[in-house]
Structure formats: structure tokens, C-alpha cells
Amino acid sequence: NYISRAPTGGGDVTITGRNFGSQPSLVNIVIGGVVITNIRITLVDTIIVFTVSAGTGMHASVSITVDGAITPSLPPAFIYPHPHVAPFSPLPPPGGLLPLSEINFASNFL
């Protein structure tokens, strides 16, 4: 199984694997103790998509159960893309404002 990185501010996550079936109601996903409720199967048996809120859990464990059968555990690898500051130029004069563009910072840090 493979799980995509989660958008820092929340959004869709994709799990790719096998034997997920075609009925989302039979799939149970738990990330770091949080039960995921908005599961969609976008490709029968192989791709599950769901939405997480911001801050769902860095390095949280992920468990998937399909119709009562537990899938092999995913490593605690539910992660967010690393935040970074975009390059800037030219430098402002001393005491001036430095405009920064950021990517993947959580909203509560802005």
C-alpha cells in the first residue's frame, strides 16, 4: 500500500493498494486514532481517496480494514510536504520589508 502526502492545510489523500473492493461503506481507515468518514473508492479494488483536515497528524499510524479484514499496516508515515520559502530578489534596503512567498506552511503559523 502507498499513501500520498497530505496537503498541510488539509485536503485529499490517496491510498493505492489492492483488494479495497467497490463499496466505501465497507472500508474503515484510522489515522493516528482519528476515524476517516469521507472515503471514496475512485478505482475499484485499488485506489481510495479521502479528505483530511489541517493537522490530522504528522507521522501518524494508518490502519485500513475492508469488510472486517485488516490490511497489512502502513508504517507511521502519514506526512505533510516540507514547508519552504520561495526564493526572493532583490534584497530590500536596510530596514525595509522582505516579501516572502511560502508553500506548505500551516495556516495557524501565518
Side-chain angles (χ1 to χ4, degrees):
N1 292 331
Y2 167 79
I3 186 167
S4 68
R5 291 180 178 216
T8 308
D12 283 348
V13 174
T14 301
I15 297 179
T16 304
R18 291 188 213 166
N19 301 319
F20 294 138
S22 62
Q23 298 179 28
S25 63
L26 297 177
V27 178
N28 182 35
I29 299 173
V30 179
I31 298 176
V34 175
V35 176
I36 304 301
T37 59
N38 57 0
I39 298 168
R40 303 176 308 275
I41 297 177
T42 59
L43 184 59
V44 173
D45 278 340
T46 57
I47 298 177
I48 296 173
V49 178
F50 53 91
T51 305
V52 296
S53 58
T56 295
M58 180 79 163
H59 298 293
S61 62
V62 178
S63 67
I64 305 169
T65 305
V66 179
D67 198 18
I70 299 171
T71 64
S73 294
L74 292 171
F78 183 77
I79 59 174
Y80 299 105
H82 296 288
H84 69 276
V85 175
F88 53 87
S89 89
L91 288 175
L97 294 176
L98 179 62
L100 295 178
S101 296
E102 53 74 25
I103 298 172
N104 294 326
F105 279 76
S107 61
N108 60 333
F109 291 110
L110 298 177

